[in-house]
Amino acid sequence: MDDGDDIYMRSWTGTIIGPLNTVHEGRIYQLKLFCDKDYPEKPPSVRFHSRINMTCVNHETGLVYN
């Protein structure tokens, strides 16, 4: 959690370690997740802070497409 005082627990920081035997092996990716007031009816927004080459990720902003 990014803010320990946020009683709604909306903002999170995550880490993904690239799985073995993939092009992402050995890489560590940082990302941010944000759940707005409509969660879980509306999915959280996800933004990579580490550069990653995936078709579902905007290369300029790091935002994951839904």
Side-chain angles (χ1 to χ4, degrees):
M1 243 175 45
D2 288 334
D3 181 1
D5 293 329
D6 180 7
I7 63 170
Y8 298 106
M9 299 186 289
R10 291 186 175 165
S11 184
W12 295 80
T13 298
T15 302
I16 298 174
I17 299 172
L20 297 175
N21 303 315
T22 70
V23 297
H24 303 285
E25 181 175 355
R27 297 181 185 201
I28 299 173
Y29 300 100
Q30 298 290 324
L31 58 142
K32 291 279 198 175
L33 295 96
F34 181 78
C35 304
D36 76 7
K37 63 183 185 282
D38 296 326
Y39 180 82
E41 288 80 21
K42 180 181 172 187
S45 64
V46 179
R47 182 182 305 269
F48 277 86
H49 280 255
S50 305
R51 292 188 63 84
I52 187 166
N53 186 20
M54 295 180 70
T55 57
C56 62
V57 178
N58 181 303
H59 296 286
E60 292 180 20
T61 65
L63 190 63
V64 176
Y65 303 115
N66 293 5

